[in-house]
Amino acid sequence: TEKTAKPFMAYQIPIIVGPTGACQYLEDLGLDMFSDHVPWKTWDHEKDHKRRMRMIVDYLQNLLDKDTAEQDILDLHVSLHPRLVQNKQYFHSTEFENLLLAPIRSYTI
């Protein structure tokens, strides 16, 4: 959906609040999910959606509770800029489009 696409199109570090396995699916498609900075692997396979949501909120709260949070986030964004650009380019690539559409194109009536 557009909610999943927006962080990639807007050069943002994605933090996906979605169904179980959503982040792994996106990474498997070839998108950089920044697992070296966002610990999504700790919550991505949590089946209890309330617990998964709590884990995401706790991560964000810990990130934002720091006195230097705003500058830390800006510095991180600057340092990750090449990867963010690469994500956007890949997201708009023919390769990614073909990967997404392959299951539909292989379907025959």
Side-chain angles (χ1 to χ4, degrees), residues 8-23:
F8 301 106
M9 295 187 317
Y11 303 103
Q12 296 174 343
I13 300 165
I15 298 176
I16 305 295
V17 179
T20 303
C23 293

Side-chain angles (χ1 to χ4, degrees), residues 76-91:
L76 179 61
H77 192 271
V78 168
S79 73
L80 295 177
H81 187 258
R83 291 168 63 185
L84 295 164
V85 169
Q86 186 177 3
N87 251 3
K88 182 171 182 170
Q89 290 172 343
Y90 178 64
F91 189 83

Side-chain angles (χ1 to χ4, degrees), residues 5-6 9 11 16 21 25 34 43 48 56 71 77 87 92 108:
K6 280 183 180 183
M9 295 187 317
Y11 303 103
I16 305 295
Y25 176 76
F34 303 92
W43 64 69
D48 181 335
I56 295 167
Q71 190 61 49
H77 192 271
N87 251 3
H92 290 290
T108 58

